[in-house]
Amino acid sequence: MSNAAPIERPSQSDLNLALIPYIRASILPGDTPLSEEAMAQTAEFLIEAALKREAGAPALLFESTTSGKRRLSIGIVNEDRPFLVDSVAALINALGLSIDVLVHPLVPIERDEAGELIAVGQDGSASESLIYIETPRVDARQRRNLQVGLLAALNDGRAAVEDWPQLQAIMEEDAAALDAAPGEKPAEEARLLRWLNNGMLTQLGHVTRTREGALSGALGICRASTRDVLSQSSYALAFDWFEQADEVGAARTLLILKANRMSNVHRRAALDLFIVPKREGNRHDGPVSALSIHVGVWTSAALETRTEDVPILRGRLAEIVREYQLSAKSHTGKALVHAFTTVPYDLLVGFSPADTRALITSVTSLVDRPRPRLILVSSPLKRHIYAFVWLPRDQMSTAIRLEIQALLLQIESAQVLDWSLQVQAGGLAMLQFLLDTRETQATPEAAPIERQLEELLRGWGEAVEEALSEGDESGRAVAIAMRYADAFPQNYRSYFGAAEAARDITRLRALAAQAGRSAERAISQPRCHLRHHAQAEILKLRH
C-alpha cells in the first residue's frame, strides 16, 4: 500500500479564476473585448474541456446554446505546437461557418499520470494551448462533420510537427540525388528542393511508393489522414511520365503536382506534391522503381519571393528575356517580370517551359491592353486544367463568376475543384479555376470558350445585337435586340450563345408573321408576355 499523500486538487471555481488572467492577456488590441461575464463563462467552459486530456491527444468539448443568442461553443485543449489556430480556423471556414469569438490563451497546465488537471498557472508546468471558439449553432450532421474535421486537422498537425526533422532530412537526400555529376553546377531541380527545404515549404508528409503499389517510410500526414496522395491511375501516369524524356531529350528528375486533397494543416489549400524518381542502380537514366513523394503547402514567404530568387522560375524568366531580346530596364522587360508575380508560383513552377512562356507572354500583353482573356494550361499528367480568366474588375461579381464557371464546365467531364480571385492593378481581375479532367486527360481549345467569355462580358443584349446585324435584319438590329434579347433565360444564354439566339429570334418573327400578326405587333407586346411566348417557342424549336 502506498503511503503517498493524496494530491490536493483545487476547486472548479479556483481553476476558473486562475485561467481568467491568461484569457484576458490573450485578447489582442484589435479584437472585440469580452465582458467580465463573458470572460468568466469562457474560463468555465475551457476548464471543463481541460479537466482530462490523454497525453498526445487533444480534448474537445462542444456545447450548443439555445437561450438568447443561438451559438455553438467549441473548446480545444492540446499541447502547444505550431499550426493550431490557423488549422482550426481554416477548417471551420471551409465548412461555411463564421467565427464570432476566438480566444487562444497559452497556459501552464499541471496534470497527473492519468491526464487529469491538477493546477493552472503553476511555474514549471508545460504550456498547453486552450482554444475557445463561438460559431452559429449547427445541426447534428454539421456538428459531426466539424468534430471529425477538427480531429483530422489536429492529428495531421501533430504528425507533421513530430516528423519535421525527418521530412527535412529526406528532402535533402533527394536534392542530393538530383544534383548534376560531380564537378558540375547543381541542377535547378535540386536547388528548388533545397530552397523549399529552407523554410519555403510547410512540409507535411512523405511516402515512398513502388511501381507495384507498396508504400514505405510514411511520415507526417502520410501516416495520419492522407495515406494515398494520388489515385492508382495517377501513380501509373507518374511512372510513365518519368520514363519519357523531357523537351530536350534529358531524363526527367522532378514532377510537381497539385493533389486533389486539401491540406488540413496551416491553410486550406490543395496539397503540393514534389515527386522524385528512384531509379535502379541510382543511375540518372535508369528504370524507375519507386517514387519519393514530398507533401506540403508553399509558405506565404515563398509565394512573395522575387522571381529572380526562385529556382526553376528564374531560369525560365532569363530564357524569355533572351528569346525576345528584352532589357530588364525596358517597359516590356519590367512588365514581363511583373507577369511572373501575378501567377501563383506554386502553380507556375509545375508548368512546362512552353506553357510557362505562353502564359507569361499573354499576361504581359494585358499590361498595356487590358481586355477579357482566357488561358487554359494542363498539369503535367493532364489530371487537371488550370483556367486563368481576366476581366474588368468593375464587372466582377458572384453572378459573373458563376457564369464563367458554367462556360468552363462545357469542357468534357470537367469538375471545378477550387477557384480563387485576385484583383490586379490596371483595372483587371483574375479568376483562377482548378478543373478536374482525369476522365478525359485532354486540353480543349481555349478560343471558342474565350469567344463566349467576350460575349458574356460584353453584355448579352449587345452580343445579340451584333449577331443580328450580321444577318438580314441589320438595319433593325438594335430595336429587335432590345425587344427580344431579355426574353432568353440564363441557361439558354450559357448553353447556346448570342449567335444562336439571333437565329431563334428570326424564327420567332417568322412564326409571328405566319400566325397573321405583323412583326411590329409581335415586338410591341408587353415584355412579360413576350418573354413567356419566346421561351415557349424556343422550347418547341429545341425539341
Side-chain angles (χ1 to χ4, degrees):
M1 181 179 296
S2 173
N3 293 324
I7 298 175
E8 203 173 307
R9 300 178 186 276
S11 66
Q12 175 96 22
S13 60
D14 288 340
L15 292 171
N16 296 347
L17 290 172
L19 180 58
I20 287 176
Y22 292 94
I23 294 175
R24 183 179 290 109
S26 71
I27 299 174
L28 298 176
D31 288 342
T32 303
L34 293 179
S35 66
E36 291 300 318
E37 180 183 2
M39 208 170 303
Q41 291 174 348
T42 301
E44 182 179 2
F45 185 80
L46 283 176
I47 288 297
E48 185 179 352
L51 285 176
K52 185 170 182 178
R53 184 180 71 82
E54 296 180 7
L60 272 64
L61 180 64
F62 296 83
E63 182 179 271
S64 294
T65 303
T66 56
S67 61
K69 183 181 178 182
R70 296 167 61 87
R71 69 176 187 271
L72 174 67
S73 296
I74 305 169
I76 305 170
V77 182
N78 213 337
E79 70 270 13
D80 181 29
R81 54 175 172 75
F83 310 133
L84 285 173
V85 175
D86 46 4
S87 301
V88 167
L91 183 277
I92 293 174
N93 289 325
L95 293 176
L97 298 174
S98 62
I99 297 177
D100 299 327
V101 177
L102 192 154
V103 178
H104 178 224
L106 296 177
V107 186
I109 297 285
E110 184 180 356
R111 298 185 182 276
D112 62 18
E113 294 180 357
E116 293 188 359
L117 180 61
I118 296 174
V120 169
Q122 191 74 29
D123 290 341
S125 300
S127 288
E128 294 190 15
S129 165
L130 277 62
I131 303 175
Y132 174 78
I133 292 174
E134 282 184 15
T135 73
R137 193 179 175 204
V138 298
D139 60 27
R141 180 183 58 82
Q142 291 174 303
R143 183 165 166 166
R144 284 193 300 272
N145 291 341
L146 180 56
Q147 184 170 2
V148 170
L150 285 174
L151 286 173
L154 294 170
N155 290 334
D156 276 0
R158 177 182 295 103
V161 170
E162 289 176 351
D163 294 347
W164 197 294
Q166 293 168 272
L167 294 173
Q168 289 197 303
I170 294 174
M171 184 169 278
E172 173 54 37
E173 289 176 9
D174 281 344
L178 294 185
D179 276 340
E184 295 185 12
K185 184 179 179 180
E188 276 291 275
E189 289 81 0
R191 290 183 179 275
L192 177 67
L193 288 184
R194 290 196 172 100
W195 181 78
L196 292 168
N197 208 24
N198 192 29
M200 296 301 182
L201 183 72
T202 302
Q203 292 168 265
L204 301 178
H206 175 269
V207 68
T208 299
R209 189 186 189 276
T210 66
R211 189 180 286 274
E212 294 74 27
L215 300 175
S216 62
L219 295 171
I221 66 173
C222 295
R223 65 174 173 88
S225 71
T226 313
R227 297 184 183 276
D228 269 318
V229 293
L230 290 172
S231 65
Q232 299 299 318
S233 59
S234 294
Y235 280 125
L237 290 171
F239 276 103
D240 292 343
W241 188 85
F242 279 115
E243 296 290 1
Q244 302 166 9
D246 65 11
E247 293 84 350
V248 296
R252 288 170 164 165
T253 56
L254 180 63
L255 175 60
I256 302 173
L257 298 174
K258 286 283 186 181
N260 280 5
R261 292 177 176 269
M262 305 297 284
S263 170
N264 288 326
V265 182
H266 185 37
R267 59 187 175 91
R268 198 78 175 171
L271 290 167
D272 294 291
L273 308 181
F274 302 87
I275 305 177
V276 177
K278 297 292 187 182
R279 299 183 182 271
E280 294 181 8
N282 292 324
R283 293 177 18 233
H284 287 287
D285 56 352
V288 179
S289 58
L291 303 175
S292 176
I293 306 168
H294 300 268
V295 186
V297 291
W298 286 55
T299 65
S300 56
L303 294 172
E304 294 170 2
T305 303
R306 294 191 323 150
T307 306
E308 297 90 334
D309 296 330
V310 181
I312 293 183
L313 294 185
R314 60 192 177 195
R316 293 181 184 174
L317 171 60
E319 288 174 7
I320 297 174
V321 168
R322 285 196 300 270
E323 180 179 351
Y324 291 95
Q325 299 180 346
L326 298 175
S327 166
K329 296 182 179 180
S330 68
H331 172 74
T332 305
K334 293 177 180 178
L336 183 70
V337 173
H338 175 71
F340 269 89
T341 66
T342 63
V343 181
Y345 291 156
D346 56 334
L347 300 183
L348 200 57
V349 76
F351 294 163
S352 69
D355 283 338
T356 301
R357 182 186 302 106
L359 177 60
I360 291 300
T361 53
S362 296
V363 175
T364 303
S365 73
L366 295 174
V367 172
D368 292 326
R369 193 162 69 88
R371 62 197 184 279
R373 191 71 206 275
L374 168 71
I375 300 174
L376 303 177
V377 180
S378 281
S379 67
L381 303 185
K382 298 189 182 299
R383 300 162 57 250
H384 298 140
I385 289 177
Y386 299 95
F388 299 91
V389 181
W390 287 267
L391 68 159
R393 61 186 179 188
D394 290 342
Q395 290 185 260
M396 185 61 222
S397 67
T398 299
I400 289 292
R401 192 258 301 171
L402 291 174
E403 291 191 50
I404 294 172
Q405 186 169 307
L407 292 179
L408 295 173
L409 289 177
Q410 296 177 28
I411 299 171
E412 184 182 356
S413 302
Q415 296 180 2
V416 175
L417 296 177
D418 197 12
W419 68 275
S420 63
L421 170 66
Q422 179 184 348
V423 178
Q424 301 177 340
L428 287 179
M430 182 182 76
L431 276 168
Q432 172 197 311
F433 296 90
L434 173 60
L435 306 176
D436 185 350
T437 55
R438 286 175 293 176
E439 292 187 18
T440 58
Q441 296 183 15
T443 304
E445 289 188 27
I449 304 176
E450 190 171 44
R451 284 195 295 271
Q452 290 178 284
L453 173 66
E454 290 173 351
E455 287 183 1
L456 170 66
L457 298 178
R458 185 168 68 228
W460 173 254
E462 186 180 341
V464 172
E465 177 189 329
E466 182 175 319
L468 284 167
S469 67
E470 296 173 358
D472 297 334
E473 310 244 32
S474 58
R476 304 196 59 199
V478 175
I480 295 172
M482 288 179 64
R483 292 290 184 180
Y484 275 88
D486 286 347
F488 291 87
Q490 189 59 55
N491 56 352
Y492 178 101
R493 303 182 193 190
S494 300
Y495 191 81
F496 294 109
E500 193 66 23
R503 285 190 283 271
D504 279 340
I505 288 173
T506 301
R507 296 183 184 115
L508 286 168
R509 285 166 55 78
L511 285 170
Q514 291 171 11
R517 292 172 292 171
S518 67
E520 288 76 7
R521 182 180 176 187
I523 292 174
S524 65
Q525 295 178 69
R527 180 64 56 84
C528 60
H529 177 70
L530 176 63
R531 180 186 296 274
H532 175 76
H533 174 73
Q535 292 185 13
E537 295 298 341
I538 289 166
L539 186 61
K540 291 177 185 177
L541 291 168
R542 289 299 163 202
H543 285 285

